[in-house]
Structure formats: C-alpha cells, structure tokens
Amino acid sequence: MRSWTDTLRFAFQPVVNLATGGVAGLEILARPETGDILAEARRDPELDGRLAVLAVRAAAHKETLLPLHVNVFAGTLADLGGLTPLHAAVREAGRLPWEVTVDVGPPYTHVPQQALLEAVAALRGQGFRISADGIGDGDVPLRLLNDMAPDLVKLDASLLARPAAVRAMRTLCEQLGALLSVEGVETELQCAAAVSAGAQLAQGALFAPPARLPAADVYIPPLPPGVVAVPRSGPSVREFVRPAALLPATVSAGQVRALLTGSPEVSGVLLVDVHGTPVRSVHRSRFLLSMSGRYGHALYADRPAAKLGDPPRTVGVDATAWEVLDVVAVGGRDRTSDDVAVVDRQGRCVGVVRLADLVRALAESRVEEAAGLNPLTRLPGSDAITGEVDRRIADGRTVALSWLDVDHFKQVNDGAGFAAGDELIRSVARALQHAASGSTRVGHIGGDDFLVLADPEGVDPLARAVLDAPWSAGGRPVTLSLATVLCRPGSVTDHRQVAACLAPLKKAAKSLNGASWVLGRAGLPGYEILRGSEATPAQAGCAVAEPGRG
C-alpha cells in the first residue's frame, strides 16, 4: 500500500533581499499530488512535525547552500513542545540550526500561548531562527507577536494597500530587532510598495514561482522614479546580509576546494566551530590561487583548510553599514574584497555582507539625499519631512508641525533685491538649524517657506529663537509668521491631514500684525494667538477628528 509520503513532493520559493537583489533563503513548500495535506497537518501536530522533517531532507537532496525556511503551525509547536526530530534532521543533512528559519504560521486561536512561547524558546535555544508568518492575513495577537520576538516577520501582500499599517509593522520590527518581509508579491506595484514601506525581504511569483529546483536567479523589477526605501539614521547591516557558505573548522583544503569549484557564486567560505562561531575566513581567489600552484594540491589538499584562511572580519547583526566600512578599513588592502561575517548576539554566523553591496547602497542614499536638498539652504525638502511625519503618526507619537515664512517676501525681493532675499532665507535656515535639538527636523520647501517637525516641548524654544531675533534685508526690517498644529495620537492618519490642518493656521498667522505665531489642535476648531495682534477678525479651524479627541 502506498504511503502519503510516496506522492508528496516539495517546491522551493526564493526569499529575496530587496536591497541586494540576491536570494536570502528558500521556503520549502509541500506539494502533494492529491488531497489537502496541509489541512490534515493543521489538525494533526505529529503529521505537521513530520512534514517539517521531510522538507529539510528534500532540501538536502537538492544540495543547496542557501538558508532554509520550514513551515510549522503554531498549534504544532504548542502541542509538541518544540521539534526535536527537526533538529536531528538538520544535523543529518549537514546543516546548522541557525541556517534554518522556522516559519510559525496561523491559526493561533485556541493555541495555548505559554506553551507556544516555551516551544519557541526551545527552538531558539537550539539555534533555529524564528519567523512569524501570515501577519495581516492571520489571527496572531500583537501581544503574542511581541512576546515571541521573532527574527523575521512575514506580512501578507494584501496589507500593502494599507501603507500606515505596514510602516507601523516596520517600526515594531525595528524595536524587536526583526527583519520585515512581504510574501505573495505578484506585481511590480506591490514590489515598489514593499520597498517604499521599508520591507527588507520579499517573496512571490513576481520574483520566482515555487519550483522543484531551487532558483539561483530571480527577477528584480526596477523601481519607478521617486520610489525609495524608508530612510533611516543609517542603513542596517541586516538589509545587506547574504547567505554564508559555512563549513566546520576541521575540514580539509580539498573539501573547501570541492565546494568552491562546484559553487561558482560563492565568494568565500567561513569555517565555524561547533557553536557556529566563525574562526577562519577563506577567500575564494586567494585560496584557489594557492591550490592551483605547481605543488599546491599535493601540499594542501589533505591539510586543514584553516591553514589557508585568515582571521574572520565580523560585525554584530545590529551594526550599521557605516560600521561595516570601519571594519573593512582596518587591515591590508588585499582583504578589502573579503566578505564580512555577520554574527548574532551568541556569536553565531547568520550570513555575510559584501563591500560592493554596501558601497552601492550608501552611494545611492547620498545621491537621493542630495537630490532632495534645497540648493539655497541645503535643507531637505517636503518629502523628507512628510515622510517623518507619517512615521511618527504610525508610531503613535504626538506630532507638532510648524510652517514658518517671511512676511511680504515678494516686497523684500523687489525692494532689497534677490541677493538680499537669498541671504535672509539662508540666515533664517541657519537660525532654525541652530535652535533645533533632539528629534527636531527642519525642512525648506521652497521660496520663503520652512517646515519644522518637533516634539511638543521643543516648539516653544524654537519659536522664541526665531521670532525674538531682529530680521532685516537690505536694511529693511522684516517679520516672520509661524503656524503650528498639534496632532495627538488618533487625531490624524497621515501627513496630508496634518497639512490640511496647517493651511488655515498659516493664513491666520499671516493676517496678524508683526511677528506672529498661532497654535491649533487637530480635531478642534479655532486657534490660539501666541504672538502678534489681530488686524482683522479671523477664525480658522481643522476638523479631521471628532471634537475632544485631539
């Protein structure tokens, strides 16, 4: 009698790194010829556990060096208390546990949460990486997601239609130290949305459909003009991690040579100890050059490969791209092309980064940053400020956005000349930058208009710094107008609503005599006059939320 395992096959779908365009791993998917074995596995934890073991064995038969993603239902982990057979299967396949990510999937309803967390902790203790799968299309409670502290969060592509939710999940991932991935990407627009929202990884039919043989090449669509990744204080090394070719520190030079000659895409091999800690780094070109000499093979083939290796260059998984460059800069020039090993908090290798990836990304970020700067003041434009507004709204923070401009600036230019007007604008920009502190962001959106994003407590000292100063252009006294809107959590949903609130406040400030400042609150009518005197009665309001909620 034929067993269900006789008709079961597995397919492999690449997990793509959106920064490098490389394959970061392979998700192994069960493909039975008949029946719905996943529905059975959802009800039968023992069956689900066996599927995970068979998936690892199927990957071993394909002789792939890429990290693996193995699917397991949350209920299976809670019921079995971990997956001891999976650890044994990984070891038998010659792989290391930290090369395998366990994708924990829904349903979570009625799953004992404490038992699940204990099972996740057991897997993590064995070295496995943990992914929370099906987020956005499943039923995982946010509190449980936080307690699981996964290494990777996989979002369903349907969530891309709700950018604020994706940005909020990116922020949560940063706090958890997790990567953000989007699965089920089928169109180039979805890919662009994933990059724009800050996802580092993705998978789906757009890049490569599930196939019997692991894909080495994937399709990466060019991004439409203006679509860039979510800007951060410094690119994280996590965004550039490539799979590492790992071998035990005890292997012979002949074994390393066999791996390199059979895998032309591998740029080097890391030799690791029993704990997965890199102990030697073998560079492809230097190693093969040594082995190809007149007596190279005879001299080295049976000797430890470590003899032909170098001390590894390592960085922590939380490092920035700039810190990696610092590591590369130390040492001889002959090692600038060496891969840099990325290690987790236990010192285990989780991948490598290549200098070329980092240099290209950092150069692109500088070009994008420069393109967004105002040529007169060298301050960022509106896109940078509004993007930060959206991120703070998604974080649940109170947003205080101010709009500052020069009163009667056309008359200043006409009377004092454009050179005096330009110098005035530069002086105001310098004053704003000097007064800005902490998380305050200053932008120049054109002409005499500036945007200032600050925490609520940072607005008053900045306002005093620019409004109390005497301003002039070509000997003519000049005054400034400032409008500020405070947006409490829940009062607005994005920067467009904030801008709509700010527009009538700016008009109100411009209607006042002298240096002026008006303050409004999103969701509440009217405004406060904090500086200036009314020339004519005026009212302005902003009602984007119910009164009393601001």
Side-chain angles (χ1 to χ4, degrees), residues 82-450:
L83 294 171
T84 302
L86 178 63
H87 196 180
V90 169
R91 188 169 57 250
E92 291 168 4
R95 304 300 292 264
L96 299 168
W98 39 94
E99 295 180 273
V100 178
T101 298
V102 178
D103 288 0
V104 184
Y108 289 84
T109 304
H110 307 307
V111 173
Q113 293 191 7
Q114 188 57 41
L116 174 59
L117 292 175
E118 290 174 359
V120 166
L123 285 171
R124 185 172 279 123
Q126 294 172 351
F128 291 101
R129 295 166 61 78
I130 303 298
S131 167
D133 202 354
I135 306 301
D137 194 40
D139 59 345
V140 56
L142 280 179
R143 185 174 65 181
L144 177 62
L145 180 62
N146 188 76
D147 291 342
M148 285 174 63
D151 302 284
L152 176 66
V153 171
K154 287 189 174 184
L155 296 186
D156 187 84
S158 62
L159 209 60
L160 292 173
R162 298 166 177 81
V166 180
R167 285 193 295 269
M169 191 57 63
R170 166 71 192 246
T171 300
L172 176 61
C173 286
E174 289 182 340
Q175 294 174 350
L176 295 175
L179 291 176
L180 180 64
S181 180
V182 178
E183 54 186 354
V185 175
E186 298 180 349
T187 68
E188 296 192 3
L189 285 177
Q190 287 180 322
C191 180
V195 172
S196 181
Q200 295 108 338
L201 304 173
Q203 61 188 106
L206 174 68
F207 309 107
R212 300 295 187 192
L213 294 176
D217 298 316
V218 294
Y219 169 68
I220 303 294
L223 294 178
V227 176
V228 297
V230 175
R232 298 288 159 181
S233 57
S236 169
V237 72
R238 293 171 180 267
E239 300 177 24
F240 306 98
V241 173
R242 290 177 176 267
L246 303 178
L247 286 176
T250 55
V251 297
S252 68
Q255 291 172 292
V256 171
R257 183 177 182 276
L259 187 152
L260 291 176
T261 54
S263 306
E265 76 281 0
V266 174
S267 57
V269 176
L270 287 172
L271 306 181
V272 297
D273 63 16
V274 293
H275 303 292
T277 303
V279 294
R280 301 297 282 180
S281 173
V282 177
H283 185 269
R284 179 187 188 90
S285 298
R286 293 198 301 274
F287 175 85
L288 292 179
L289 185 62
S290 297
M291 291 289 289
S292 62
R294 184 174 182 183
Y295 301 108
H297 190 273
L299 285 174
Y300 299 116
D302 296 325
R303 299 182 66 185
K307 297 287 186 181
L308 295 177
D310 299 290
R313 290 173 164 176
T314 61
V315 294
V317 73
D318 297 319
T320 66
W322 296 109
E323 291 173 305
V324 178
L325 292 185
D326 290 339
V327 171
V328 173
V330 176
R333 293 183 179 180
D334 60 327
R335 296 199 61 193
T336 54
S337 62
D338 286 18
D339 293 341
V340 177
V342 181
V343 297
D344 62 15
R345 292 175 180 85
Q346 287 73 45
R348 301 174 302 206
C349 182
V350 297
V352 295
V353 290
R354 294 179 181 173
L355 179 62
D357 291 337
L358 299 182
V359 171
R360 182 176 63 252
L362 292 174
E364 289 173 353
S365 69
R366 284 291 182 256
V367 170
E368 291 163 2
E369 180 182 336
L373 297 180
N374 186 286
L376 181 62
T377 60
R378 309 305 295 168
L379 288 175
S382 60
D383 287 348
I385 302 299
T386 55
E388 181 63 20
V389 168
D390 285 337
R391 283 188 287 279
R392 295 190 187 190
I393 291 173
D395 291 346
R397 297 169 58 181
T398 296
V399 170
L401 186 64
S402 300
W403 191 339
L404 176 78
D405 73 347
V406 179
D407 296 328
H408 311 298
F409 184 64
K410 185 177 185 303
Q411 296 177 18
V412 172
N413 266 348
D414 291 344
F418 71 86
D422 286 351
E423 182 53 38
L424 173 63
I425 295 302
R426 283 192 287 264
S427 297
V428 172
R430 287 193 294 268
L432 287 171
Q433 288 178 293
H434 181 74
S437 60
S439 60
T440 300
R441 300 287 181 268
V442 179
H444 183 192
I445 59 176
D448 62 323
D449 291 307
F450 295 87

